[in-house]
Amino acid sequence: MEKSNNIIRRIICVVLALTLTSCIFTSCKKNNEEEEITRGNAQIERPTYAEESQPEGEATTDPAATMEDARNTTAKASDNATTEGTTYASADDAIKDAANQSGMSPEQIAEFIQIMGYDYDPVQGIFYTSLDNWQRQANFVAHYDTAAHYFNMNYRTVRIDFGPIDGLDWRIQLWKGQYGAFGGSEIGVYTKDPKQNAMLYNCADNDHLLFMESALYLNKEDYQNNKIYFTREWQAHWWLTGFKPGVVNPASLIMSMRIRCKSDKMAKQFAAALEQAGFTPVNSSKEMGYNTYRRSLNDIFILWDDIGELNYVQKKN
């Protein structure tokens, strides 16, 4: 009975999230210069990172030690970088700008942000999900990506599945694109019991959080010029996100990230799954190109361009 109640609660969370998103985002006006799109069934490393001192086998488990061992590489990326897009003095200013660009009212966007439980970074002008965001109860199935286009969320995504490790299958999923009035990116970490539902993944619990970070660029030119749209700092999380007011082209975004695996076994399986998804392995930061990855002990560095699928199809002129 308790298991059935948990499933029902999760379904309610999903329905509520999609319903709220629909109510808010369906009022967005179409950008005049945006290519017309229809639904389809399809799906950085700019800075040079220093090699990290990290023990072989199991990764450092003490959070403080881990942070000291792998100090925010996105901060290093930003040392000689410029920020693309507008920054805001307050969340209210960011909301007003999003309203101006979307045709929605500031009240609508503010209500949506409050309901979704987003936090705000005033330095970069981005909204992001907290560790214990209520959406953690919804878990994940691939059908969400199919439905997202109907709620004005158009993005590229790729799923990296591997395992089992310690009795669990893992999925690390990446997204980047347009979320209503915002351009953004996501890294999701999910696990499931291989003996149970083959489709339903659970949001990673506190024992399975991964340290990770990311940087998003609007296009290859910005990446080459080290012009960062925004970054998400190094931290343990299950859903690392960032959403910035503005219009982006999901097909042009470049995303750089680092994800620390919990063990040598996990790093090997994750690397193999990346290759199966289409990423090419390289041996050093100087060799990093689009759609490549490199491994440094238990850290995996990824530069993502156009692997995966768009959840929409652009009409040809």
Side-chain angles (χ1 to χ4, degrees), residues 44-50 72-81 213-217 223-228 231 255-257 284-288 294 301-303:
I44 62 195
E45 187 181 14
R46 180 57 190 171
T48 298
Y49 301 103
N72 198 336
T73 59
T74 52
K76 296 177 184 178
S78 302
D79 286 346
N80 298 310
E213 64 186 343
S214 67
L216 187 66
Y217 303 80
Y223 171 73
Q224 294 297 332
N225 292 323
N226 206 14
K227 190 180 292 183
I228 299 172
T231 64
M255 187 177 176
S256 171
M257 67 208 85
S284 68
S285 59
K286 293 182 179 180
E287 298 178 79
M288 289 292 293
R294 72 177 179 93
F301 297 84
I302 305 168
L303 181 59

Side-chain angles (χ1 to χ4, degrees), residues 22-134:
S22 176
C23 292
I24 298 300
F25 282 164
T26 50
S27 64
C28 293
K29 66 182 180 181
K30 192 177 187 71
N31 185 286
N32 291 332
E33 297 182 357
E34 180 184 2
E35 290 186 81
E36 189 175 358
I37 56 179
T38 57
R39 187 179 72 86
N41 59 0
Q43 289 206 304
I44 62 195
E45 187 181 14
R46 180 57 190 171
T48 298
Y49 301 103
E51 296 293 327
E52 306 296 343
S53 58
Q54 181 189 349
E56 286 284 354
E58 294 296 320
T60 306
T61 55
D62 176 52
T66 302
M67 289 293 286
E68 185 63 29
D69 177 50
R71 185 61 64 182
N72 198 336
T73 59
T74 52
K76 296 177 184 178
S78 302
D79 286 346
N80 298 310
T82 57
T83 301
E84 179 67 11
T86 307
T87 56
Y88 307 92
S90 67
D92 287 342
D93 290 340
I95 289 171
K96 290 176 183 177
D97 188 30
N100 290 334
Q101 297 189 54
S102 67
M104 300 159 58
S105 70
E107 290 75 20
Q108 284 177 308
I109 292 182
E111 181 181 7
F112 174 75
I113 289 169
Q114 182 179 23
I115 291 172
M116 299 302 284
Y118 290 160
D119 291 330
Y120 180 68
D121 174 0
V123 176
Q124 299 188 85
I126 61 172
F127 296 91
Y128 61 93
T129 48
S130 61
L131 181 63
D132 290 321
N133 186 283
W134 65 266

Side-chain angles (χ1 to χ4, degrees), residues 27-313:
S27 64
C28 293
K29 66 182 180 181
K30 192 177 187 71
N31 185 286
N32 291 332
E33 297 182 357
E34 180 184 2
E35 290 186 81
E36 189 175 358
I37 56 179
T38 57
R39 187 179 72 86
N41 59 0
Q43 289 206 304
I44 62 195
E45 187 181 14
R46 180 57 190 171
T48 298
Y49 301 103
E51 296 293 327
E52 306 296 343
S53 58
Q54 181 189 349
E56 286 284 354
E58 294 296 320
T60 306
T61 55
D62 176 52
T66 302
M67 289 293 286
E68 185 63 29
D69 177 50
R71 185 61 64 182
N72 198 336
T73 59
T74 52
K76 296 177 184 178
S78 302
D79 286 346
N80 298 310
T82 57
T83 301
E84 179 67 11
T86 307
T87 56
Y88 307 92
S90 67
D92 287 342
D93 290 340
I95 289 171
K96 290 176 183 177
D97 188 30
N100 290 334
Q101 297 189 54
S102 67
M104 300 159 58
S105 70
E107 290 75 20
Q108 284 177 308
I109 292 182
E111 181 181 7
F112 174 75
I113 289 169
Q114 182 179 23
I115 291 172
M116 299 302 284
Y118 290 160
D119 291 330
Y120 180 68
D121 174 0
V123 176
Q124 299 188 85
I126 61 172
F127 296 91
Y128 61 93
T129 48
S130 61
L131 181 63
D132 290 321
N133 186 283
W134 65 266
Q135 294 170 77
R136 195 175 188 182
Q137 300 301 316
N139 298 321
F140 187 83
V141 292
H143 298 306
Y144 294 176
D145 291 325
T146 303
H149 172 67
Y150 292 110
F151 301 98
N152 286 325
M153 290 182 282
N154 300 316
Y155 49 69
R156 185 183 298 280
T157 188
V158 61
R159 304 180 191 100
I160 302 109
D161 296 341
F162 56 96
I165 298 173
D166 297 330
L168 290 175
D169 285 339
W170 287 73
R171 167 173 289 174
I172 296 178
Q173 184 158 351
L174 314 176
W175 297 265
K176 54 181 179 176
Q178 189 74 44
Y179 301 80
F182 303 86
S185 63
E186 313 168 69
I187 305 174
V189 180
Y190 308 95
T191 62
K192 72 177 179 67
D193 184 339
K195 299 177 182 178
Q196 295 182 358
N197 191 313
M199 298 181 64
L200 179 64
Y201 279 78
N202 301 309
C203 301
D205 60 25
N206 289 343
D207 292 332
H208 297 91
L209 302 179
L210 298 181
F211 275 89
M212 49 189 171
E213 64 186 343
S214 67
L216 187 66
Y217 303 80
L218 290 179
N219 49 51
K220 290 181 179 179
E221 181 179 0
D222 280 1
Y223 171 73
Q224 294 297 332
N225 292 323
N226 206 14
K227 190 180 292 183
I228 299 172
Y229 194 49
F230 65 78
T231 64
R232 290 307 325 277
E233 69 278 4
W234 180 252
Q235 60 191 283
H237 218 300
W238 66 274
W239 191 24
L240 193 69
T241 68
F243 307 101
K244 190 169 185 174
V247 177
V248 303
N249 181 352
S252 298
L253 294 173
I254 302 295
M255 187 177 176
S256 171
M257 67 208 85
R258 176 173 69 153
I259 300 172
R260 171 164 291 179
C261 296
K262 289 184 172 292
S263 66
D264 176 71
K265 178 181 179 181
M266 183 178 185
K268 287 179 179 177
Q269 289 198 19
F270 184 29
L274 281 168
E275 291 184 42
Q276 188 172 7
F279 290 90
T280 301
V282 297
N283 296 317
S284 68
S285 59
K286 293 182 179 180
E287 298 178 79
M288 289 292 293
Y290 302 119
N291 298 325
T292 65
Y293 81 90
R294 72 177 179 93
R295 179 184 171 190
S296 175
L297 299 178
N298 292 339
D299 286 356
I300 305 292
F301 297 84
I302 305 168
L303 181 59
W304 181 31
D305 177 18
D306 58 1
I307 284 176
E309 60 189 24
L310 296 170
N311 73 330
Y312 68 95
V313 174

